[in-house]
Amino acid sequence: MKELKPVIKSRERFSSGLAIFFATLGSAVGLGNIWKFPYMTGANGGAAFLLIYLVCVLLIGIPVMTGEFYIGRKARANAVGAFESLKAKPFWKIIGFGGILSAYLIMFFYSDVAGWVYAYVFRSLTGGFAGISAQTAGAQFDAMAANPLTSLLWQAIVLIVVSIILVGGVKKGIERVTKVLMPLLFVLVIIVCVRSLTLPGAADGLRFLFVPDFSKVTPGVVLSALGLAFFKLSLGMGCMITYASYFRDDNNLLSTASRVAVADTIVSLLAGIAIFPAVFSFGIEPGAGPSLLFVTIPMVFAKIPFGQMLLALFFLLTAFAATTAMISLVEVPNAYFVEHFKMSRKKAVFLNASIMFVIGSLATLSSHKDALLSNVKPFGLTFFDLFDYLSSNILLPVGGLLIALFVGWVVKKESLARELSNDGALKISGLIAVFRFVITFVAPILLVFVFLNSLGIIG
Ligand code: PHE
């Protein structure tokens, strides 16, 4: 083992490479895969959207994630402090502050949707979905999402659970939970896929997911695919900087980033294969939006042996995936408050969860067309949609662009090579050169292009 620099000594570390992989995957895999990816693919025309999404993951997602890993592990600090510790110009701290803002914006609506998932665990355990039809599934969802009291109650429960885990700290809290649950979730999603694929008319769903129709692609669709890639891989907001600050010195950063991105994409694809055949088989509208998961899955399990038990298990694991993702989200402002303001972990967690509940209630009360605040539309969007749009389509890609520019243009070539090769221990200079080319030119150019294109300036 190398000597640690003095400032690092007090920081926690993940205990092994596998723990790093699962913790990072625990951040990436969440409602993004199981809830957002299917409904956005459905709303944006299917396979063509999927293809653009995959290109974004490969050419922008993996490089930006590696860039964040570099920053976090080298600096061993929170998303704002990292740039001080790397002795960068104060301007670059904007990445960290933007990240904290994004973490809040995402949590405002994410904790609401996670609340629905928790509610569905509870309801499926009490047999509330047995023998359900498409209509009753829709009506049940509507009744829950439009009811202010139940929605807020579940959101509060979610935030309390996340807070309790976070007070436990990084190793005890995050590591323990993710190592067991990620593999289990994987197995269960595969079970749902098998069931969905054996439904009558399943082929239409597969065709929708895998045969592209480019006539549906508009600049807005491309921006949404890009935003989803950032959201999915927890990028552009300092989350991976924060996690990498707990990585071990001997971790292969490029390989971790690639493996996490591939595994995360597989989970998203499986979720798509689990949902779309059923959507087409039951005649549900693929562009139904945020309710898609909550209407489709109860029906997949409605009429099979042990269906209710499997349904409860599915939502339970989704709840766990959402929870590990939220842990990583809240950890961004948390780490900053603890390290910058010298707050106790408990205090920081309490403060963050409270802010998230108070402002997050605006999202919760506007998430459904019949909800209390659904007619309040600043900038033409409900609070729920606004928080989502601002974070996914603007802040994360801009954060990603800044990270790419920082790593590609500000960081010294030698420093990058040293960190990514673990001081020369890994013989991967060719790969590092490819990475540098992509992060310096390809990713920033693509990002700028997608932005300008979506604003109607070029393309
Ligand atoms: N990647 C998570 C998901 O797919 C969401 C997330 C975004 C988590 C940003 C952390 C940071 O659900």
Side-chain angles (χ1 to χ4, degrees):
M1 270 292 279
K2 271 185 304 173
E3 261 302 296
L4 305 179
K5 289 171 229 145
V7 284
I8 318 168
K9 276 204 175 128
S10 60
R11 285 180 79 77
E12 286 191 276
R13 294 281 174 97
F14 290 120
S15 59
S16 67
L18 205 63
I20 290 176
F21 174 72
F22 279 125
T24 313
L25 194 62
S27 163
V29 171
L31 294 173
N33 309 61
I34 294 163
W35 165 72
K36 207 172 194 219
F37 175 86
Y39 97 71
M40 285 194 65
T41 306
N44 289 296
F49 178 82
L50 175 61
L51 210 66
I52 300 170
Y53 172 81
L54 293 176
V55 172
C56 292
V57 168
L58 187 70
L59 292 182
I60 302 175
I62 296 177
V64 170
M65 191 186 291
T66 311
E68 290 201 32
F69 284 172
Y70 161 83
I71 296 171
R73 190 176 68 176
K74 176 126 180 91
R76 298 270 181 221
N78 64 78
V80 178
F83 295 92
E84 275 163 20
S85 143
L86 294 180
K87 304 206 171 45
K89 293 222 166 63
F91 165 80
W92 294 104
K93 280 201 258 179
I94 195 174
I95 295 175
F97 289 121
I100 291 173
L101 182 62
S102 308
Y104 282 124
L105 286 169
I106 294 175
M107 275 304 287
F108 294 157
F109 70 89
Y110 206 99
S111 54
D112 172 28
V113 182
W116 298 343
V117 176
Y118 279 36
Y120 267 50
V121 175
F122 183 72
R123 191 174 296 173
S124 45
L125 282 176
T126 51
F129 295 110
I132 204 165
S133 71
Q135 246 158 13
T136 36
Q140 286 219 17
F141 175 79
D142 289 342
M144 175 195 61
N147 182 332
L149 275 183
T150 37
S151 306
L152 287 177
L153 181 70
W154 283 112
Q155 186 177 27
I157 294 175
V158 163
L159 287 167
I160 292 170
V161 171
V162 171
S163 303
I164 292 173
I165 302 177
L166 269 172
V167 171
V170 174
K171 258 175 79 171
K172 271 193 274 153
I174 302 174
E175 225 186 273
R176 236 186 352 213
V177 186
T178 49
K179 254 200 322 212
V180 185
L181 296 175
M182 280 297 115
L184 211 60
L185 176 71
F186 197 73
V187 174
L188 208 80
V189 175
I190 292 183
I191 296 180
V192 189
C193 284
V194 173
R195 166 66 186 144
S196 192
L197 285 172
T198 50
L199 287 167
D204 288 339
L206 286 184
R207 210 166 297 127
F208 178 78
L209 193 57
F210 292 116
V211 182
D213 166 8
F214 286 99
S215 68
K216 304 255 170 53
V217 177
T218 62
V221 167
V222 180
L223 180 63
S224 294
L226 175 72
L228 181 61
F230 274 95
F231 180 88
K232 269 293 343 89
L233 298 176
S234 313
L235 297 176
M237 52 162 296
C239 187
M240 292 299 168
I241 296 180
T242 309
Y243 264 34
S245 75
Y246 309 123
F247 279 11
R248 292 160 51 104
D249 287 324
D250 60 1
N251 193 258
N252 182 342
L253 301 181
L254 260 169
S255 141
T256 299
S258 317
R259 283 184 299 142
V260 168
V262 169
D264 180 80
T265 305
I266 292 176
V267 179
S268 294
L269 287 173
L270 287 175
I273 298 173
I275 289 192
F276 285 108
V279 162
F280 280 79
S281 175
F282 297 125
I284 299 167
E285 165 57 41
S291 64
L292 192 65
L293 171 78
F294 298 94
V295 177
T296 312
I297 294 292
M299 294 187 47
V300 171
F301 287 115
K303 292 189 182 110
I304 55 170
F306 306 112
Q308 293 310 296
M309 211 183 77
L310 287 172
L311 181 64
L313 199 60
F314 177 85
F315 277 114
L316 188 67
L317 288 172
T318 306
F320 279 123
T323 305
T324 51
M326 285 186 287
I327 291 171
S328 71
L329 276 160
V330 186
E331 183 61 15
V332 176
N334 241 17
Y336 176 65
F337 285 178
V338 169
E339 290 174 17
H340 189 82
F341 298 113
K342 311 275 172 274
M343 237 181 232
S344 72
R345 254 194 109 74
K346 244 196 201 129
K347 226 192 227 155
V349 169
F350 180 73
L351 182 69
N352 282 319
S354 309
I355 299 175
M356 285 162 189
F357 182 68
V358 172
I359 308 185
S361 64
L362 291 178
T364 307
L365 297 177
S366 65
S367 58
H368 187 270
K369 64 177 187 341
D370 299 329
L372 220 52
L373 299 180
S374 60
N375 290 325
V376 185
K377 293 190 172 171
F379 305 100
L381 294 171
T382 60
F383 285 113
F384 184 94
D385 292 338
L386 183 69
F387 296 150
D388 183 7
Y389 190 90
L390 281 178
S391 50
S392 286
N393 289 22
I394 301 178
L395 282 175
L396 302 187
V398 170
L401 175 63
L402 290 172
I403 288 163
L405 292 177
F406 181 75
V407 175
W409 296 85
V410 177
V411 167
K412 292 217 171 58
K413 198 173 147 185
E414 299 73 40
S415 163
L416 200 59
R418 217 176 314 123
E419 192 68 29
L420 293 184
S421 69
N422 297 345
D423 258 339
L426 303 169
K427 304 289 169 228
I428 50 168
S429 52
L431 262 180
I432 294 175
V434 174
F435 164 74
R436 270 200 76 230
F437 177 75
V438 177
I439 197 102
T440 311
F441 301 107
V442 181
I445 290 173
L446 277 176
L447 279 163
V448 170
F449 174 79
V450 174
F451 268 120
L452 295 182
N453 192 30
S454 73
L455 293 172
I457 295 174
I458 51 168

